[in-house]
Amino acid sequence: MPVLNRNLQLRRFAVLGGVMIVLALGVWLGRHVPCSTGHAAEQADSNTTTPAFTHQGDKIVIPQGSALRSRLVVQQVAVKTSPHSLLFPAAVEADPAHTVNILPPVAGKVVKLSVRLGDHVAKGQQLAVIESGDLAQAYADDDKARDALQHVERALERVRGVQKAGAGAVKDLEQAESDAAQARAEFIRAEARLRQIGVPSQPKGKTRLLTLTAPMAGSVTALTTASGAFANDPTASLMTIANLNSVWVTANVPEGDIAHVATGQPVDVSYPAYPGQVFHGTVAFVSDVLEPDTRRNKVRITFANPAGKFKPNMFANVSFAVPQKSAVFVPNSALLMDNDSTIVLVEVAPWTFVKRPVIPGYEEGDGARIDQGLHPGDRIVVKGGVLLND
């Protein structure tokens, strides 16, 4: 048994020694035999990698082979001489000079309503019929006043006849003349009341029914009564009639832009309801009073509307052309933010750029006029500049 254990130990030492020799040989080979494949890959990477851009002082250089050369768009700045456009929200309104509120001239009950909301009516067309006790009273007052006037006028004639015969007293004549003057005044008042109601003083048949008619042609744009309703408030409108053959487009101009708007100025108006269409008009009215809550000024443009395309409360946009001196114009994509400044990337040499601060002026849709910082002929990055604005 001792001999067997000794042989087993010798075998273990032999195997362990072989493993150690193999490991040592691998380490020696790794140190002294170069790996040609790895070295070639490193050399290839170092030869093909090109930086996107480099800095040379304040200049940004796009080297040959940089992927940015295919992503940047460089153009010469444009010069705009056309007027600047100011765009403001607006809405369509009925012309107040062609809008009438129908009020009940007497209290009463609406026994018949002859129109509906939105109806077109002609001048003189029946709108509603009101049964009114006040109308009957007005007729009665007129009859009494007429009868009283006729009575005192006959009495006055008798007194004057007596006076001419030399038998009457002066005071009787004066009293008769006073009574006639008072009766005449009361009759005039009663007649005026009937005219105010809108009925003749001597109709063929006196009735408690009053017919309201349209004072002009137009559309019923508001209706606040119904058949069977009572009209007891003479200041409450029963309906509104508006002639929409001519309408106003009212724009709300901010306080800071009021100086650019004047009566007679040409304007372009567009409506969301009619995309792609532009309607031309002129400013008819500029309010003398600023709206206290919005700090905006109402500017109105009159439009003929025979076909009824423009409807009250319809939204619109009004564009005012403001004359401007020629200025450099750049697209919005060329303007970059650098801390608190607005900059553009100006090309000073082929594929070499510098950052230049600019002061933008009016924005116009897809771009802006530049008040300071650029000159005609400058070439700038108009697309992809954000990739260089590190």
Side-chain angles (χ1 to χ4, degrees):
M1 289 299 293
V3 175
L4 181 59
N5 291 338
R6 188 180 299 111
N7 290 337
L8 182 59
Q9 290 178 352
L10 290 175
R11 290 178 182 175
R12 289 177 177 175
F13 284 126
V15 172
L16 182 60
V19 172
M20 295 297 293
I21 292 172
V22 171
L23 291 175
L25 181 60
V27 171
W28 185 85
L29 290 174
R31 290 180 178 178
H32 293 82
V33 178
C35 180
S36 59
T37 302
H39 184 66
E42 290 178 2
Q43 285 186 338
D45 290 342
S46 63
N47 291 335
T48 59
T49 301
T50 302
F53 60 89
T54 60
H55 287 280
Q56 295 180 6
D58 62 345
K59 298 178 181 179
I60 302 173
V61 180
I62 313 298
Q64 182 70 32
S66 171
L68 288 182
R69 290 203 175 192
S70 62
R71 302 181 65 180
L72 299 180
V73 177
V74 182
Q75 291 180 356
Q76 184 172 317
V77 296
V79 177
K80 256 197 175 182
T81 58
S82 59
H84 168 62
S85 295
L86 295 176
L87 189 67
F88 302 117
V92 178
E93 296 180 350
D95 188 344
H98 298 93
T99 303
V100 177
N101 291 324
I102 306 300
L103 304 176
V106 290
K109 180 180 180 181
V110 179
V111 295
K112 182 180 180 181
L113 184 62
S114 305
V115 295
R116 297 173 299 178
L117 183 65
D119 282 355
H120 295 275
V121 297
K123 183 177 181 179
Q125 179 178 332
Q126 179 178 290
L127 302 176
V129 177
I130 297 177
E131 183 181 11
S132 172
D134 290 348
L135 176 60
Q137 182 64 48
Y139 277 130
D141 291 343
D142 183 69
D143 290 341
K144 289 168 57 178
R146 179 179 286 103
D147 181 71
L149 178 60
Q150 293 173 353
H151 175 72
V152 297
E153 285 181 341
R154 287 194 297 269
L156 177 60
E157 287 300 321
R158 288 195 297 270
V159 172
R160 284 175 177 171
V162 173
Q163 279 291 110
K164 288 181 180 180
V170 175
K171 67 175 183 177
D172 293 336
L173 177 61
E174 292 176 347
Q175 182 63 49
E177 290 176 341
S178 175
D179 293 342
Q182 293 182 38
R184 190 175 298 108
E186 180 62 20
F187 176 69
I188 293 174
R189 184 199 65 77
E191 291 279 298
R193 172 59 175 155
L194 291 177
R195 286 195 300 270
Q196 180 187 16
I197 295 174
V199 295
S201 59
Q202 290 292 319
K204 292 181 179 180
K206 296 180 180 179
T207 175
R208 297 166 59 95
L209 298 179
L210 173 64
T211 300
L212 301 181
T213 59
M216 67 177 187
S219 301
V220 180
T221 59
L223 184 63
T224 59
T225 190
S227 181
F230 285 91
N232 296 324
D233 186 356
T235 64
S237 173
L238 300 178
M239 64 188 73
T240 300
I241 297 177
N243 189 322
L244 301 179
N245 288 333
S246 176
V247 296
W248 280 357
V249 175
T250 303
N252 296 301
V253 179
E255 182 177 1
D257 294 314
I258 294 175
H260 301 304
V261 179
T263 301
Q265 182 176 356
V267 296
D268 293 332
V269 181
S270 59
Y271 301 85
Y274 306 111
Q277 299 184 47
V278 178
F279 302 86
H280 307 287
T282 56
V283 175
F285 168 80
V286 178
S287 176
D288 293 332
V289 180
L290 204 66
E291 297 298 314
D293 51 346
T294 62
R295 308 304 301 171
R296 290 175 177 263
N297 203 20
K298 289 188 177 298
V299 177
R300 294 188 170 97
I301 304 100
T302 303
F303 273 93
N305 188 36
K309 294 181 64 174
F310 312 132
K311 306 181 185 303
N313 302 318
M314 182 181 284
F315 288 118
N317 290 303
V318 177
S319 177
F320 296 85
V322 180
Q324 295 285 314
K325 63 181 181 180
S326 61
V328 171
F329 182 83
V330 301
N332 290 328
S333 58
L335 300 175
L336 306 172
M337 292 303 299
D338 187 16
N339 295 326
D340 294 331
S341 301
T342 302
I343 66 166
V344 295
L345 295 170
V346 181
E347 187 180 50
V348 295
W351 296 108
T352 303
F353 307 94
V354 295
K355 296 180 179 181
R356 184 181 296 176
V358 295
I359 299 179
Y362 284 113
E363 295 185 5
E364 298 183 15
D366 59 344
R369 299 176 190 244
I370 302 300
D371 290 341
Q372 295 182 23
L374 286 177
H375 307 283
D378 286 343
R379 288 175 55 83
I380 63 172
V381 177
V382 298
K383 185 178 180 181
V386 67
L387 300 174
L388 303 180
N389 190 30
D390 59 343

